Amino acid sequence: MDEKVKVADRGKTLEDLKQTDADLRLPSVVEPAHFPIETLAPEARQQTPAVGQRATRPDGRLHGLGQTKYIDDITFPNMLHAKIKRAGIAAALIKSIDTSEAEKMPGVMAVLTGNEIPVNSFGPSYQDQPVLAYERVFHAGDGVAAVAALTEQIAVEALDKIKVEYEPIEAVFDPMLAMQEDAPKVHPPHDNVYATKAIKKGDVEKGFAEADKIFEGRFSTQMIEHVPLEPHASIAEWDGNGRVTLWSSLGRITLGRADISRTLNMPINKIRIVGTVVGGNFGGKNEITTEPVLALLSKKTGRPVKMIYSREEEFIASTTRHPFIMDYKTGVMNDGRIVARKVRLVLDGGAYCSWSETTLGKACILSAGPYNIDNLHVEAFCTYTNKTMAGAMRGFGAPQVCFAYESHMDDIAHDLGIDPLEIRMLNAFEEGSLSPTGQVLQSVVVKESLQTAAERFGWKEFSK
Amino acid sequence: MKHRGKGIGCMWYPIGFTVAANPSAATVKVNEDGTATLLTGTVETGQGSLTVLGQIAAEELGISTEDVHVVSADTDATPMDTGAIASRTTYVTGNAIQLAAERAKNILFEVAAPMLGVRPDQLEARDRKIQVKGYPQSALPVGEVANHAQNGAGTPAIGSASYNPPTVAMDPETGQGKPFSTYVYATQIAEVEVDDETGEVQVIRIAAAHDCGTAINPMLVEGQVQGGISMGVGMALEEEMLFDDQGRQINPNLTNYIMPTSLDMPHIDVDIVENFDPTGPFGAKGVGEPTAVATSAAILNAVYDAVGVRVPNLPATSEKVLAAIKAKRNADPKRVSAS
């Protein structure tokens, strides 16, 4: 102690200062704490056999330390920042786009509109979505022009200088109205209903005739956003050799590369996608968004270009969960056995198909629930509306139909005076049950899951 | 007054794409020290899939999770993969990886067989060793075999394979067919408390019993279930994107789009229902999406049990629940409190 005071009294040497500085600094990556490993069992991830181990993630330490590099943390020399101007009008013809004032702004390096994109359309089932809207706006979140600038702030300011002239046209927002003959067409000349599916098993009318009781109900669900913590983000670099590399938050890089190849009209082997660490997907990052735009802005400027969606863009310009309108009609015997069910589903797909076809198909197959129903008829429709597009989201229509068939199930149980657990046990699939599509089901544990959850919850003992 | 109620949500969910091909390919390279490198084109989107995929490769090679380094998501370097979608990664990519690892392992067996004086089909890979089945005393460290394979025999232990789930197209009229290779099943039971003066619903706890076939990593399965339930709570009670009459969103921000925070989360008990699917890697199926399916149904059925009102349109906001309680009271004025 005295020694240190003396040192301080003498005044600090350069060595002292260096030491003080080193003491104050935290290492950029903290070394793992050293425990006396020989006294502990090996960690789960070091043990064999590997399957069944509660192995920690190899990327866990940096996540825990907040040092994982997401696209927001990645920067390249001379990198530019891009922003996209959103239409803000749900349905319109674009009369003109004037970017001249934006191009004159100091710090603005390039502006891009839809006519500069070699193939200005994409989509997993139908290529009905423009990368940047050019002739027509289909929903308010459509991008109409993009700017690459030295800073994000300059890019945002430049968007205000872009003048777009719109001619408003009639829009439709309600899926039931959109299905009507005289509804305004979202994608003329195509009908608004762009996908229908059906499942028929047994004879549903005969089933209803034999049933002791018939129950009906209509259920509906809302539009939901994925809300990943990390919004959609990408960096594009078009290099001098004519190859483009994209660092992207895409969850599906193989499909993404094919889509980018199509929109840019260039061979797949000239495109590289590096999937970065993704801060949440939930189905919302299964399609390209800004990647072709950034690639072309990079080509124009010869510099890497980054864009990260704002939270608002994440809501208005990325896919969402489909709102459903679901009509259920079920015939049951007095003992609770379901003998017939009719289901009608209407999906609000928003402005573009995206993953609607898949969502419709899965919802259709799953809509009767994990129950043996000999007589089943499901019909399902998906329709365009001038709203944010619905697409893939965790469950692909299953959470919507599950809410309906399970609500309906409890209504039936309540009316018949049967315990909700019992009525499900009575109707549940078993090993070898036939699915609504006639598939023989294997490794079926519906009843086991019902019993396990009921036991854990204390279903029978529960009192209000 | 506050009322408690219980409700069940039971569900089934398929693994992989509906009929359409959704293949994965993988390459497994055993290094000369017995560690391995796995190449996969899928993307880690936060769920821990790379850990699970590494465990599958490790299991086939008889080494530990730590021994496998996973390289992913670079279209220049990694094999094609349909990607992180449709709850398919553990099952489809996992099957491709198991097959690739088996091919690499077979090279090790070919090299080890003469070293141990047995036929390759008499060998197994366990505990970082290549050993004779039923006679583990006769064994060689996997690193020694891998080194000999590469630097002695000149046959480095590298395996590549692909997998696509078998399906049968659906009839367009009747939908009959085999759209998926396999399905998972689950039940969630919720306890809620409903305030009949405000309509507020508090989810107290959820018991979730999920089938995923073999749980390759039970900790990550539990994480998926907890995450799925948080999305289910939001769908049931809070989240809704709203539009004005011109089709413009009115709440595109986290101030006005209400979603569950940690304070809204119920107590969750996760049970993994014991199961084994012979078509999956080591019996595994999948778990990602199914965790978010049954939650809102369970919560709304619990609300029904608590106060006797059915809210048929989600989300069941306090306003909607209160309106339903009031409507029920008006229809049945003799009953002071609902249910």
Side-chain angles (χ1 to χ4, degrees), chain A residues 4-77:
Chain A
K4 275 194 179 169
V5 172
K6 275 181 198 163
V7 170
D9 286 344
R10 275 209 306 271
K12 284 176 179 154
T13 66
L14 187 59
E15 284 304 307
D16 292 332
L17 286 170
K18 277 184 181 167
Q19 188 55 47
T20 312
D21 187 46
D23 288 345
L24 286 171
R25 273 176 206 273
L26 287 172
S28 60
V29 176
V30 183
E31 286 297 315
H34 291 291
F35 296 111
I37 283 171
E38 60 278 5
T39 64
L40 299 171
E43 283 182 46
R45 53 181 294 108
Q46 295 167 334
Q47 292 188 30
T48 57
V51 162
Q53 298 284 356
R54 302 174 72 85
T56 51
R57 301 164 49 143
D59 55 0
R61 284 196 76 250
L62 289 184
H63 281 332
L65 293 164
Q67 293 187 349
T68 297
K69 298 274 184 280
Y70 295 88
I71 285 180
D72 201 24
D73 305 304
I74 298 172
T75 188
F76 293 112

Side-chain angles (χ1 to χ4, degrees), chain A residues 45 48 252 272 456 464, chain B residues 10 66 74 82 127 271 305:
Chain A
R45 53 181 294 108
T48 57
R252 298 189 59 198
R272 178 188 182 196
R456 173 73 65 188
K464 292 181 189 178
Chain B
C10 185
E66 177 87 8
D74 182 337
T82 304
D127 304 327
D271 279 294
D305 184 53

Side-chain angles (χ1 to χ4, degrees), chain A residues 182-227:
Chain A
D182 56 349
K185 285 189 163 73
V186 176
H187 290 270
H190 303 291
D191 284 338
N192 286 337
V193 176
Y194 56 90
T196 57
K197 306 257 181 203
I199 290 176
K200 285 175 189 161
K201 185 186 172 193
D203 184 338
V204 77
E205 293 309 327
K206 189 162 157 274
F208 284 133
E210 286 167 6
D212 290 330
K213 274 195 165 174
I214 289 173
F215 295 86
E216 290 184 80
R218 170 173 279 200
F219 305 90
S220 64
T221 59
Q222 73 277 43
M223 186 181 275
I224 294 176
E225 164 55 25
H226 307 78
V227 200

Side-chain angles (χ1 to χ4, degrees), chain A residues 226-229 279-286 392-395, chain B residues 45 227 231:
Chain A
H226 307 78
V227 200
L229 271 182
N281 175 356
F282 315 117
K285 290 173 179 164
N286 285 329
M393 184 167 177
R394 199 177 197 171
Chain B
T45 63
M231 295 180 83

Side-chain angles (χ1 to χ4, degrees), chain A residues 44-59 88 90 140 173 198-201 218-227 243 250-254 257 271-278 280-282 286 311-312 315-316 320-321 355 358 362 365-366 369-371 386-388 393-396 398-400 402-403 405-407 410-411 414 419-421 424 429 435-439 441-446 448-450 452-454 456-457 459 462 464, chain B residues 4 6 8-14 16 18 41 43-48 51 55 58-59 63-66 73-76 80-86 127-128 170 173-183 185-187 189-191 205 207 209 211 215-219 222 224 227-228 231 235 239-241 243 245-249 252-254 257 259 269 271 273 275-277 279 285 288-289 291-294 297 300-301 304-305 310-315 339:
Chain A
R45 53 181 294 108
Q46 295 167 334
Q47 292 188 30
T48 57
V51 162
Q53 298 284 356
R54 302 174 72 85
T56 51
R57 301 164 49 143
D59 55 0
F173 306 118
I199 290 176
K200 285 175 189 161
K201 185 186 172 193
R218 170 173 279 200
F219 305 90
S220 64
T221 59
Q222 73 277 43
M223 186 181 275
I224 294 176
E225 164 55 25
H226 307 78
V227 200
R243 279 193 107 229
L250 266 176
R252 298 189 59 198
I253 56 170
T254 307
R257 186 177 59 166
I271 300 161
R272 178 188 182 196
I273 302 185
V274 179
T276 52
V277 183
V278 179
N281 175 356
F282 315 117
N286 285 329
R311 185 55 65 184
E312 181 177 353
F315 274 91
I316 67 172
T320 62
R321 189 186 287 291
W355 289 94
T358 317
K362 275 197 183 177
I365 294 163
L366 302 173
Y371 307 113
N386 292 101
K387 291 190 296 192
T388 312
M393 184 167 177
R394 199 177 197 171
F396 274 103
Q400 293 95 320
C402 181
F403 162 66
Y405 66 69
E406 288 298 78
S407 294
D410 269 24
D411 288 344
H414 185 254
D419 181 85
L421 181 63
R424 287 175 173 82
F429 285 149
S435 79
T437 70
Q439 177 175 355
L441 297 173
Q442 58 166 19
S443 71
V444 180
V445 288
V446 186
E448 290 81 350
S449 84
L450 278 161
T452 306
R456 173 73 65 188
F457 183 86
W459 179 262
F462 180 84
K464 292 181 189 178
Chain B
R4 294 253 173 149
K6 61 177 180 178
I8 300 180
C10 185
M11 71 107 229
W12 63 313
Y13 196 79
T18 318
V43 180
E44 168 72 55
T45 63
Q47 75 280 51
T51 310
Q55 284 180 272
E59 181 75 16
I63 58 182
S64 78
T65 316
E66 177 87 8
D74 182 337
T75 56
D76 271 9
M80 76 73 54
D81 195 288
T82 304
I85 184 172
D127 304 327
R128 299 190 180 90
M170 293 163 76
E173 296 289 316
T174 65
Q176 296 300 295
K178 184 191 175 189
F180 304 101
S181 177
T182 193
Y183 302 77
Y185 308 89
T187 300
I189 304 183
E191 178 180 352
R205 65 188 169 111
D211 158 41
I216 303 285
N217 186 326
M219 183 168 67
E222 289 162 13
Q224 285 277 20
M231 295 180 83
M235 177 178 174
E239 296 183 45
E240 183 170 24
M241 298 169 73
F243 291 81
D245 60 2
Q246 299 294 305
R248 291 170 302 212
Q249 286 184 31
N253 54 66
L254 296 179
Y257 180 90
M259 56 187 296
D269 288 311
D271 279 294
V273 179
N275 202 357
F276 183 95
D277 189 299
T279 65
K285 296 194 279 190
E289 295 173 273
T291 58
V293 172
L300 270 291
N301 279 339
Y304 181 62
D305 184 53
R310 170 63 61 199
V311 182
N313 49 345
L314 295 183
S339 186

